[in-house]
Amino acid sequence: MPYLRVALDVPLPRLFDYRLDVATAADIGRRVVVPFGTRRLVGVVLEMVEQPAYDVAAIKTAEAVLDDMPTLPAGLLDLFRFCADYYQHPIGQVLHTALPTRFRDPNVFRVAEALHYRAVDVATLLASLPRQAALKLRLAQLLATPRNEAEIRAAGSTAWKTVQVWLDAGLVVAQVQQTVMPSAAVGPPLNDEQAHAVAAITAATGFAAFLVHGITGSGKTEVYLNAIAATLARGQQALVLVPEINLTPQLEGRFRQRFPGVDIVSLNSSVAEGERAAGWVRAARGEAGIVLGTRLAVFTPAPRLGLIVVDEEHDASFKQHDGLRYSARDVAVYRARQAGVPIVLGSATPALESWQNAEAGRYRRLQLTQRAVAGALPPTLHLLSTKRQPLSDGMHARTLAAIGERLARGEQSLVFLNRRGYAPVMHCSECGWMAACTRCSARLTVHLRERQLRCHHCGAEDRLPRVCPGCGNQDMKPLGQGTQRLEDMLAEHFPAARVLRIDRDSTRRKGSFETALKAVHACEVDILVGTQMLAKGHDFPNLTLVAVIGADNGLYSANFRASERLYAQLAQVAGRAGRADKPGEVLLQTDFPEHPLYQALLADDYAFFAAGELAERKLAGFPPFLYQAVLRAEANQLAEALAYLSQAANLAPQSDAVTVWDPVAASMMRLANRERGQLLVQSTARTRLMAFLTEWMAALRAQKPGKVRWALDVDPLEL
Ligand code: ADP
Ligand code: ZN
Ligand code: ZN
C-alpha cells in the first residue's frame, strides 16, 4: 500500500507521510486533510511512496483527499520545489503561501464550472420577443453562439436578468464549454517599434526573455495587449503581473475592453477571498484566458500557459518582505523557462539586474523610444538650482511662476514631494530636543492637522507637545517640509486655486483614493500635491506641469540601490506631465544640478545612467555582479541578535567561494521595540552560494530554538 507524502504548513523543510486506503497516483497535487498532533491540517500530496521514511507504526491515516480544487500540475509543483530550494523556505509553507486562503481551510470549496449560454433556436427566440426592444434583439443575435456571463452582462444593464428569464423558459440553454475562440477588439495600428516588438515576441517558440524598454506613454501596454491577443488566438493562456499600485480599474478596464469574450481573472489584495479562489480554479481549469494580478498571481496554475508579462518589472513591490521572501519577477522568469514560454519584462527604467541580463545577451531588448500617440512629445525637463537661491517655503520662484501660468491657462500642476505629514522633525531650538519614536530608531513626523506626532515606521502616535519636553520652551518649530505643509503653503500662495493633497494620510478611507482621482479627471483640482502614490500608472490629460521638490534626499544614501530607485521614481513622476496633446514640463529643484543622475534624466538617457551605475557596482562588488543573501535576526536587545548572528557565522560551512561578513546592526536598528541585526553572505557563483545556503540553513535549523527570531533573505533588496 502506498504512502502519501504531504506538504504541510509547518516551519519544517520536509514532507510528512500518511496512509490512505485507496490512494492512487492521481492524488498527487491534490488537497488532503490530515491529523497533525491535535490539529487537522490541510496539506498537498506531493509524492507517493511504497516505503515510508519512518516507522510504519507511527504513521497516521489521512482523513480525506479533496477533489474541489483542480489537481496541481506537476510543473507547478516543480515551481514550488524550486522556490523552497532557492529561497530556503519550507516546502509546505511555500505551498501555503501560493494557495488561495480558501484552500488552506479543511472545508470543501466548490467552484461551479464556467457556463456558456446560447439560444436553443434563434428564430424561436426572436419570434417570442413581445416587444423587440433593441437590447433583446441584440441579445438574441448574440446568443446564436455560446457566450459567457461577462459577454452577456456587457450587452446592457438588464441583459443578464433577461437571459435568466429565457433560461427558465427553456429558450436558452447553459452548457459547460471550455474552449471558445476568444476574439480581441481592434486596438490602434502599431507604430514600427511596437510592431517590431510584437513580432519578436509572437515569433518566439519556447522560452525567450524580452526586456521591453520604453518611456512612459510609448505604448508598452499596447505591445502586451497585442502579444496576449496572439497567445489567446493560439488557444493559450496569458499571465500578467503588475505592481499593486498599478492595477487600477482603468488598466483592468482596458484589458476587458480589448478582450470582451475572455474570462479575465483578477488576483490582488482587494479581491474577496472566495472570488480569488474561484478565479484561481478557473485559471487552473484552463477556462480563464488571462490572469491579471499582483506578485502572488505568479503561482496561479495555468495548464495552457503561453505567455508571461511582468509590467513595471523594476518595481520593488514584486519582492515579498516576509514569509517566503520571493521576487515574483525572478520566479516568473524561472516559470517561463520551465514552461517553455516567452516572458516579457517591461519598464521605462528596468532593474539593473534585468538591464545587465540584456547587456549580457540573456534577455532580448526591445526599445520603444517615442510616445505612441501621434504628436505627443515627452515632457521637457528643467533643473532648477536651489543653491544660494532665496526660496519661498521651499519653492523656487520659477516653480511658483510656472504653477501660476498653469492656473491662468486652466491646466493642472502636480507638486511631487515624497514625504507625507507636515514636517519630518519637531525641534526645539533652545535645547536641541527632537521628537523621536520610543519604539524605533527614527524621528517622529509632525502631523499638524491631527495635532499629532506619528512614527512612519511602527505607526506609534503621540500628542503634539505644546512646550518642549526637554526645557519647557513654548516656541517649538516643525523643521523641514512634508506634503501637508506644502498643501498649506500652496493654498496660501494661490488663494483662488483648488489644491488637493493625495498621499497615504489623505486616502486612508476606502474609496477615497478613487474619489480623489475622479476629481482630478473632472478638472475639479488645479494643484495636486502628492507622494509616489501619484507617480505611477495614472493618466491625467490636463496635467501639464510636474514640479519635484526634495529629490536630493535620495542622492547620497548608504543604500547602493538608492540612485536606481530615485531615477525610476523621477522618470515615472515626470511621465505624468503632458500625456495627451498638451506638451508637459517638469521642473526639478535641486542643490546638485550637475549630478550625473540628474544629467542622465535631463537627457532622458537611461542607458547612460545604467552603464554608469553598473560600472560602479562592478567595481565595488555589488549585485548584479555577485549574489547576496542576508540572515536577519531580531530580539529585545541588539546584543542578543548580534550574538545569535555570530554563532550562526560560526556554523557557516567553509567555502572558498562564499564571503561571510561580520554581523552588524540593521540600518534601522530598532523597529517597533525589536532590535535587529544582520549578517551578509555573498558570492560571485550563484550555484556555490545555493549549496552553501542549503548546508548552512540545515545547521541553523538543527539548533535548539532560542529567543531570537531569524530569517534568511535571498537576493535582498534592502540591506
Ligand atoms: P505605456 O504602457 O508605455 O505607458 P500605453 O500602451 O499605455 O503606454 O500607451 C500610451 C497611450 O498611447 C495610450 O493612451 C494608448 O492607447 C496610446 N497608444 C499606444 N499605442 C498607440 C498607437 N500605436 N497608436 C496610437 N495610440 C497608441
Ligand atoms: Zn527644548
Ligand atoms: Zn516607531
Side-chain angles (χ1 to χ4, degrees):
M1 182 184 52
Y3 294 85
L4 309 179
R5 311 211 65 200
V6 177
L8 292 173
D9 187 10
V10 293
L12 297 169
R14 46 168 283 211
L15 301 175
F16 296 85
D17 292 0
Y18 287 90
R19 197 194 315 271
L20 189 71
D21 289 340
V22 282
T24 70
D27 291 333
I28 292 177
R30 286 226 151 107
R31 289 193 333 131
V32 60
V33 183
V34 296
F36 188 82
T38 57
R39 294 182 291 165
R40 288 170 79 215
L41 291 183
V42 172
V44 172
V45 181
L46 284 196
E47 294 167 20
M48 208 76 117
V49 288
E50 289 297 329
Q51 280 302 314
Y54 38 86
D55 184 13
V56 176
I59 291 183
K60 296 185 192 165
T61 303
E63 240 177 71
V65 173
L66 305 180
D67 63 354
D68 53 351
M69 182 184 83
T71 308
L72 296 175
L76 201 62
L77 298 181
D78 264 4
L79 187 71
F80 296 148
R81 286 193 195 95
F82 162 77
C83 287
D85 292 344
Y86 189 89
Y87 294 108
Q88 295 294 326
H89 201 66
I91 178 75
Q93 295 191 318
V94 170
L95 251 140
H96 284 78
T97 304
L99 284 187
T101 326
R102 271 294 154 84
F103 291 124
R104 300 176 211 168
D105 183 305
N107 293 319
V108 169
F109 180 77
R110 277 209 199 283
V111 177
E113 276 176 282
L115 293 177
H116 291 259
Y117 302 83
R118 69 174 169 80
V120 175
D121 176 44
V122 179
T124 324
L125 186 55
L126 284 174
S128 76
L129 299 181
R131 280 169 293 115
Q132 295 204 335
L135 169 73
K136 288 189 178 176
L137 193 58
R138 217 165 50 222
L139 266 180
Q141 285 158 351
L142 189 72
L143 293 173
T145 50
R147 303 292 177 172
N148 67 24
E149 183 175 336
E151 288 173 284
I152 295 168
R153 284 189 187 278
S157 61
T158 57
W160 183 239
K161 237 169 79 187
T162 309
V163 171
Q164 295 301 309
V165 173
W166 288 343
L167 200 59
D168 289 342
L171 294 167
V172 163
V173 289
Q175 65 196 50
V176 176
Q177 183 173 340
Q178 308 216 345
T179 43
V180 266
M181 218 12 142
S183 57
V186 211
L190 301 179
N191 63 36
D192 288 350
E193 287 178 331
Q194 286 174 313
H196 171 74
V198 172
I201 297 163
T202 52
T205 55
F207 171 74
F210 298 93
L211 182 62
V212 175
H213 175 223
I215 57 168
T216 309
S218 61
K220 294 185 292 297
T221 310
E222 265 319 305
V223 169
Y224 312 150
L225 291 170
N226 279 274
I228 293 166
T231 305
L232 296 173
R234 282 197 297 263
Q236 295 180 312
Q237 296 170 288
L239 172 62
V240 183
L241 304 180
V242 296
E244 183 86 47
I245 197 160
N246 283 49
L247 190 54
T248 55
Q250 285 103 303
L251 181 71
E252 204 181 312
R254 199 164 156 194
F255 271 75
R256 292 199 187 280
Q257 220 167 32
R258 183 62 63 87
F259 304 111
V262 177
D263 182 0
I264 300 176
V265 165
S266 187
L267 292 179
N268 61 80
S269 61
S270 67
V271 175
E273 268 173 35
E275 201 183 320
R276 226 167 99 181
W280 205 81
V281 167
R282 296 207 312 277
R285 286 184 187 144
E287 294 165 6
I290 301 173
V291 176
L292 176 61
T294 49
R295 64 171 178 248
L296 208 59
V298 74
F299 296 117
T300 314
R304 297 183 284 116
L305 186 65
L307 176 71
I308 303 180
V309 174
V310 184
D311 188 25
E312 306 288 351
E313 62 88 31
H314 66 281
D315 198 284
S317 74
F318 284 121
K319 169 93 177 171
Q320 179 151 306
H321 292 288
D322 49 17
L324 173 63
R325 292 166 165 78
Y326 68 105
S327 153
R329 178 196 60 218
D330 296 349
V331 172
V333 173
Y334 179 85
R335 185 170 180 182
R337 187 189 305 275
Q338 174 214 45
V341 303
I343 181 167
V344 177
L345 308 175
S347 177
T349 51
L352 289 178
E353 282 80 0
S354 303
W355 192 263
Q356 179 57 26
N357 276 327
E359 293 288 296
R362 287 185 288 270
Y363 295 175
R364 190 159 153 207
R365 188 160 35 215
L366 302 167
Q367 301 270 9
L368 304 180
T369 56
Q370 315 286 324
R371 283 211 167 178
V373 173
L377 292 172
T380 45
L381 172 68
H382 299 283
L383 300 173
L384 301 184
S385 173
T386 43
K387 251 188 310 194
R388 292 183 290 277
Q389 274 282 325
L391 296 181
S392 143
D393 284 311
M395 300 288 270
H396 196 285
R398 267 191 65 193
T399 308
L400 290 172
I403 296 174
E405 283 167 31
R406 295 319 183 284
L407 284 173
R409 290 210 294 264
E411 295 171 359
Q412 294 170 315
S413 308
L414 162 64
V415 184
F416 176 81
L417 171 62
N418 205 15
R419 191 196 282 140
R420 63 196 172 87
Y422 186 83
V425 187
M426 189 67 173
H427 178 242
C428 170
S429 52
E430 293 292 315
C431 73
W433 177 86
M434 280 191 212
C437 181
T438 53
R439 312 172 68 223
C440 303
S441 22
R443 303 232 167 88
L444 291 171
T445 303
V446 182
H447 285 249
L448 207 58
R449 299 266 187 302
E450 302 83 1
R451 304 218 52 83
Q452 275 185 338
L453 292 170
R454 286 189 187 160
C455 176
H456 285 186
H457 302 279
C458 72
E461 295 175 352
D462 206 350
R463 293 251 319 275
L464 197 62
R466 274 174 212 287
V467 297
C468 171
C471 70
N473 172 15
Q474 303 204 345
D475 185 29
M476 283 206 298
K477 293 253 164 34
L479 268 192
Q481 207 168 26
T483 47
Q484 287 186 357
R485 188 173 212 164
L486 201 53
E487 179 191 12
D488 286 359
M489 175 264 158
L490 286 164
E492 204 172 300
H493 204 277
F494 300 105
R498 297 162 297 180
V499 182
L500 180 70
R501 171 171 56 91
I502 298 187
D503 56 23
R504 261 205 289 148
D505 299 311
S506 77
T507 55
R508 222 157 274 252
R509 257 181 315 107
K510 196 170 153 46
S512 52
F513 185 51
E514 289 70 26
T515 311
L517 292 181
K518 268 200 201 109
V520 181
H521 275 282
C523 291
E524 293 160 11
V525 176
D526 302 309
I527 306 175
L528 264 168
V529 177
T531 56
Q532 63 182 359
M533 274 190 90
L534 277 179
K536 298 180 182 178
H538 306 290
D539 198 354
F540 305 124
N542 201 36
L543 185 87
T544 58
L545 174 71
V546 171
V548 181
I549 315 289
D552 290 348
N553 288 327
L555 275 187
Y556 296 101
S557 163
N559 184 339
F560 71 89
R561 290 184 213 273
S563 36
E564 178 185 354
R565 283 190 192 147
L566 180 63
Y567 191 102
Q569 191 175 68
L570 294 176
Q572 210 147 28
V573 70
R576 297 306 110 210
R579 285 207 82 157
D581 46 347
K582 296 180 187 133
E585 185 180 21
V586 180
L587 301 177
L588 194 154
Q589 296 189 184
T590 172
D591 279 348
F592 310 97
E594 305 305 327
H595 195 286
L597 189 150
Y598 293 142
Q599 289 300 318
L601 201 64
L602 193 62
D604 196 6
D605 194 347
Y606 188 74
F608 174 75
F609 169 75
E613 284 293 303
L614 285 170
E616 257 179 53
R617 289 205 194 170
K618 190 165 193 174
L619 210 64
F622 282 125
F625 300 100
L626 49 72
Y627 306 100
Q628 297 182 324
V630 64
L631 184 67
R632 306 183 193 280
E634 59 170 65
N636 290 331
Q637 304 288 326
L638 179 63
E640 293 172 80
L642 293 180
Y644 174 80
L645 292 172
S646 300
Q647 189 202 343
N650 290 335
L651 288 171
Q654 287 304 316
S655 169
D656 53 6
V658 177
T659 310
V660 179
W661 294 93
D662 287 331
V664 293
S667 59
M668 181 141 177
M669 192 270 281
R670 210 173 140 76
L671 179 67
N673 272 340
R674 300 281 284 171
E675 300 195 346
R676 304 158 343 133
Q678 65 189 33
L679 174 59
L680 178 68
V681 298
Q682 63 186 37
S683 174
T684 51
R686 161 72 71 199
T687 46
R688 302 284 302 274
L689 180 64
M690 298 319 298
F692 166 91
L693 291 177
T694 305
E695 209 180 314
W696 192 29
M697 286 303 107
L700 293 186
R701 288 201 175 101
Q703 299 293 105
K704 263 221 309 279
K707 277 185 299 183
V708 175
R709 272 187 55 187
W710 60 271
L712 183 74
D713 189 351
V714 178
D715 301 333
L717 283 187
E718 311 291 339
L719 281 182

